[in-house]
Amino acid sequence: LIDDLTRVVLSGALMQTKLWRDEGLTFGVAVNISMDNLANLDFPDFVLNEISRHDLAPTDIILELTESRLMKHGAVALDILTRLKLKQISLSIDDFGTGHSSLTQLLDIPFDELKIDYSFVHGAHHDATRRAIFGASLSMARQLNMKSVAEGVEDQADWDFLQEQNCDLVQGYFIAKPMPAEDLPAWLADWEIRRLELVQE
């Protein structure tokens, strides 16, 4: 049922994005999709129709694929990903570094964003091996003109390290834990104050 479930989740995410837009919040939203979605040639049209139905633009959404699941992608999956990209929908490779064919994925698939797995982020400030892998991944993302996202920012030390590395985006419990959609506007107001305090430290 994962294909049907993903489509329901995607529709719900787009509906919520529209509600946020109506409140003046103009950020994009990322949604994880399954490799099973990439077995159906109608998937790109479904995504575009849902975007249009909610009065949004293709650039308002990012579709994330977990790297380890991409290892067995075939011609149909590659065709669908290319169609999505041609429709101006951004693609993100999630948990980068955990699969066994990372560089092949970057060569074959037109990704816009690289999410560096938390296992190479959390604690990288005091672990030379993690720091080296993180640095190499970040450098590669920059050279490929991909946006970089660090997963697993769990504490102040992680945050400080990533500030020094100039990573584009970060995520993790140090910033926020999962929350109901209706709580996001209040959290954003609090985060702006906290972020300024973190920058000044």
Side-chain angles (χ1 to χ4, degrees):
L1 296 177
I2 190 63
D3 182 47
D4 292 335
L5 177 60
T6 302
R7 293 177 187 235
V8 170
V9 170
L10 179 63
S11 296
L14 291 170
M15 181 176 65
Q16 183 59 58
T17 302
K18 172 60 175 171
L19 292 174
W20 281 328
R21 285 296 166 92
D22 292 343
E23 294 179 18
L25 304 177
T26 57
F27 46 76
V29 172
V31 177
N32 289 91
I33 63 173
S34 164
M35 285 304 295
D36 290 347
N37 300 125
L38 303 184
N40 297 298
L41 289 173
D42 73 321
F43 187 66
D45 288 332
F46 166 78
V47 174
L48 206 63
N49 288 338
E50 287 299 296
I51 289 171
S52 177
R53 187 166 73 88
H54 291 95
D55 195 26
L56 296 169
T59 51
D60 292 331
I61 190 167
I62 301 171
L63 299 181
E64 294 187 6
L65 296 101
T66 303
E67 183 198 4
S68 58
R69 297 296 306 278
L70 280 167
M71 291 173 58
K72 298 180 180 178
H73 77 272
V76 173
L78 182 58
D79 180 34
I80 291 172
L81 289 170
T82 302
R83 292 187 191 191
L84 289 167
K85 189 75 172 72
L86 289 172
K87 295 177 185 296
Q88 296 184 305
I89 296 168
S90 294
L91 302 175
S92 176
I93 183 167
D94 199 8
D95 300 336
F96 182 77
T98 59
H100 300 293
S101 55
S102 307
L103 300 181
T104 301
Q105 310 301 343
L106 295 179
L107 181 65
D108 292 344
I109 301 172
F111 285 107
D112 303 279
E113 182 180 273
L114 187 148
K115 299 186 72 174
I116 305 171
D117 188 68
Y118 75 93
S119 59
F120 307 121
V121 175
H122 180 51
H125 59 281
H126 65 72
D127 185 305
T129 302
R130 283 186 172 88
R131 188 163 59 249
I133 295 173
F134 175 84
S137 300
L138 183 61
S139 176
M140 185 164 48
R142 288 171 176 162
Q143 292 181 61
L144 294 173
N145 294 317
M146 297 171 67
K147 186 175 291 184
S148 56
V149 183
E151 302 178 291
V153 182
E154 303 298 315
D155 52 37
Q156 179 80 51
D158 290 339
W159 170 269
D160 292 342
F161 169 73
L162 291 165
Q163 289 291 301
E164 295 171 0
Q165 301 299 311
N166 293 317
C167 189
D168 294 320
L169 296 170
V170 299
Q171 69 179 63
Y173 280 8
F174 180 72
I175 299 160
K177 294 183 178 180
M179 69 185 77
E182 59 269 20
D183 292 353
L184 187 63
W187 174 84
L188 277 172
D190 291 340
W191 168 247
E192 280 304 306
I193 297 171
R194 184 176 166 220
R195 185 180 63 82
L196 290 173
E197 292 173 346
L198 288 169
V199 170
Q200 292 169 2
E201 290 179 358

